[in-house]
Amino acid sequence: MTQQKLLIVEDEEALARGLRFNFEHEGYEVLLAGDGERALQLFQETDPRCDLIILDLMLPGMSGYEICRKIRELDELVPILVLSARTLSEDKTMAFDCGTDQYMTKPFALPELLSRVRNLLDRHSRIPGQNQPNNGDTCEFGEVHVDFARYEIRVGEQVFEPTKTEMDLLRYFVHHDGRVLSRQEILTHVWGMDANVTTRTIDNFVMRLRKFIEKNPSDPAFLLSVRGTGYRFVSNGKSAEVSENDSDSETD
Ligand code: CA
């Protein structure tokens, strides 16, 4: 079994180090972030992703609530445990409203924290699609075989080695099979909130992905354009769809 990875967001250095020490002792890999910006950066850049996040609320800059909300935009499922000195019911409610799974108040008992983390990870690993090797990090559609962990796309005898961003984009499409995705949505989720790229960048990346996965990139079967909106990935191929006869067909 691969080592599970925790992201601890805590600005109190001594506490952060103490937590890291204890979780490493339990066999986890631990990433530390002292503020929200670093936390989001680590969360997005770490591949494969962190398995669980331990989140302080009172942090310099971005609050824990906001971090929680932003992480939920990127990942609906990753378990988040808030560890905070705030004990008011309103604080807990707000944290849960932002997508927190569990809330623990400081000071805390270490065995309880370890136990809660184990429990969350155990439940999370039983969510379908989360317990395959590499978190189900492969997929197949048509003759295309994608290995997200190895950054590899195979089509018959051909093997392509896409970049990380190309893989992230393809993963996002695959995870939203059949759904129309706006350029803005794609930008936010794949490139991050404040990324310095335009929607035109997405079009270029889609063109590159089509060269990997489509037999005829100018008449795509899987990665379809939705005029005026963005794109839609269909793993069954567009022939399985009702009368979608060109790459620019209007869909809603
Ligand atoms: Ca703090």
Side-chain angles (χ1 to χ4, degrees), residues 10-11 56 58:
E10 173 61 67
D11 61 327
D56 184 20
M58 289 180 281

mmCIF file of all heavy atoms in Angstrom, residues 10-11 56 58, ligand 1:
data_model
loop_
_atom_site.group_PDB
_atom_site.id
_atom_site.type_symbol
_atom_site.label_atom_id
_atom_site.label_comp_id
_atom_site.label_asym_id
_atom_site.label_seq_id
_atom_site.Cartn_x
_atom_site.Cartn_y
_atom_site.Cartn_z
ATOM 1 N N GLU A 10 -1.118 25.093 9.015
ATOM 2 C CA GLU A 10 -1.015 25.564 10.404
ATOM 3 C C GLU A 10 0.093 26.607 10.464
ATOM 4 O O GLU A 10 1.203 26.353 10.009
ATOM 5 C CB GLU A 10 -0.683 24.350 11.296
ATOM 6 C CG GLU A 10 -0.379 24.675 12.735
ATOM 7 C CD GLU A 10 -1.541 25.345 13.439
ATOM 8 O OE1 GLU A 10 -2.577 24.701 13.632
ATOM 9 O OE2 GLU A 10 -1.415 26.557 13.768
ATOM 10 N N ASP A 11 -0.250 27.795 10.991
ATOM 11 C CA ASP A 11 0.765 28.855 11.024
ATOM 12 C C ASP A 11 1.611 28.829 12.291
ATOM 13 O O ASP A 11 2.649 29.476 12.371
ATOM 14 C CB ASP A 11 0.115 30.238 10.853
ATOM 15 C CG ASP A 11 -0.862 30.556 11.964
ATOM 16 O OD1 ASP A 11 -1.507 29.611 12.472
ATOM 17 O OD2 ASP A 11 -0.976 31.730 12.320
ATOM 18 N N ASP A 56 -6.127 24.661 9.956
ATOM 19 C CA ASP A 56 -6.322 25.670 10.995
ATOM 20 C C ASP A 56 -7.265 26.734 10.426
ATOM 21 O O ASP A 56 -7.363 26.876 9.203
ATOM 22 C CB ASP A 56 -4.948 26.266 11.324
ATOM 23 C CG ASP A 56 -4.996 27.258 12.469
ATOM 24 O OD1 ASP A 56 -5.961 27.228 13.254
ATOM 25 O OD2 ASP A 56 -4.060 28.068 12.577
ATOM 26 N N MET A 58 -7.583 30.215 11.886
ATOM 27 C CA MET A 58 -6.990 31.544 11.998
ATOM 28 C C MET A 58 -5.565 31.504 11.461
ATOM 29 O O MET A 58 -4.652 30.978 12.092
ATOM 30 C CB MET A 58 -7.022 32.007 13.450
ATOM 31 C CG MET A 58 -8.443 32.340 13.890
ATOM 32 S SD MET A 58 -8.543 32.892 15.598
ATOM 33 C CE MET A 58 -8.452 31.351 16.491
HETATM 34 CA CA CA B 1 -3.512 29.797 13.696
#
